[in-house]
Amino acid sequence: MIKDIDHILIARGAISDRVRSLGEEITKDLKDVGEHEIALVAVMTGSLIFVADLMRHLPMKIQIQLMTSSSYIGKSTKSNNDPMLGKLPDVKGMHVLLVDDILDSGRTLTKIRSELEALQPKSIQSCVLLRKKLDSAMNVPCEYAGFDIEDEFVVGYGLDYDGYYRNLPDIAVICP
Ligand code: 5GP
Ligand code: MG
């Protein structure tokens, strides 16, 4: 057991039900898109578990590509101004489903979407597991959001604090 967990915000059962329904919704929306044309781009490392679960609810032929983004410097719970992006995936001519863990200030998704736009994909849609109830997050285009949560720092199910807690099966709030 991990002592620093204050409380569980979203339990594993609720996460798994919602991930399944997101997958079904996305599958329905993409049913007319041809084979070889869908690229799921997952933003590492936070979306690690989410994307692994979500992709198994997407039965069509899709390519999985990973890219990295980091917004935190050391032990901080405030994302920094300009997220650092790793190598961009090859999405020219593809319908892109961009998958990230959480939408907070919106800077990460905004920056990635604009950099991917420049690579001439056919379309881009975004999917996040969590979205904070902040104007900054709500005003960023995002077609699929799993849960809208209050503005508090969460860990687990892939999300970390200083590299820890990603392995927790539930989404939790750590002790202040
Ligand atoms: P944004 O650029 O929207 O401010 O933040 C996006 C990134 O910051 C997310 O992809 C995630 O990695 C990180 N982040 C934002 N809020 C949280 C949070 O509550 N917990 C954790 N662990 N990471 C967060
Ligand atoms: Mg992230």
Side-chain angles (χ1 to χ4, degrees):
M1 275 307 291
I2 297 176
K3 288 200 206 98
D4 345 339
I5 296 306
D6 190 69
H7 62 275
I8 289 175
L9 186 67
I10 310 173
R12 61 198 82 179
I15 300 172
S16 119
D17 289 350
R18 184 64 181 123
V19 173
R20 174 186 300 272
S21 72
L22 276 173
E24 288 168 356
E25 206 182 317
I26 294 167
T27 302
K28 212 163 98 198
D29 294 349
L30 291 177
K31 71 178 185 319
D32 296 325
V33 174
E35 281 198 347
H36 312 294
E37 290 190 348
I38 305 171
L40 187 165
V41 174
V43 184
M44 292 289 115
T45 309
S47 74
L48 178 68
I49 302 180
F50 176 42
V51 77
D53 285 343
L54 180 68
M55 70 166 96
R56 285 176 286 173
H57 292 293
L58 303 174
M60 60 290 226
K61 188 167 179 178
I62 50 174
Q63 213 178 64
I64 311 292
Q65 301 204 43
L66 307 180
M67 63 176 289
T68 59
S69 169
S70 56
S71 319
Y72 290 89
I73 301 168
K75 293 186 188 182
S76 167
T77 57
K78 287 275 163 256
S79 54
N80 91 46
N81 286 337
D82 191 23
M84 274 186 312
L85 306 187
K87 186 175 177 291
L88 295 176
D90 177 15
V91 294
K92 188 167 182 180
M94 305 291 280
H95 291 282
V96 174
L97 180 68
L98 180 60
V99 177
D100 202 2
D101 53 356
I102 184 165
L103 192 44
D104 180 3
S105 72
R107 284 188 288 257
T108 303
L109 224 52
T110 302
K111 180 164 179 179
I112 295 176
R113 259 179 106 125
S114 87
E115 300 237 345
L116 294 186
E117 262 334 321
L119 303 176
Q120 302 175 303
K122 281 201 179 115
S123 67
I124 303 183
Q125 293 198 305
S126 303
C127 174
V128 295
L129 179 65
L130 307 170
R131 178 169 59 185
K132 292 193 182 168
K133 292 182 197 159
L134 296 170
D135 288 345
S136 59
M138 293 295 183
N139 292 334
V140 167
C142 181
E143 288 72 12
Y144 305 97
F147 299 93
D148 288 323
I149 64 168
E150 298 304 324
D151 180 19
E152 53 188 352
F153 192 80
V154 292
V155 296
Y157 196 71
L159 290 101
D160 76 308
Y161 171 66
D162 193 28
Y164 292 98
Y165 312 113
R166 292 195 200 275
N167 54 314
L168 298 181
D170 309 295
I171 291 169
V173 176
I174 46 176
C175 300

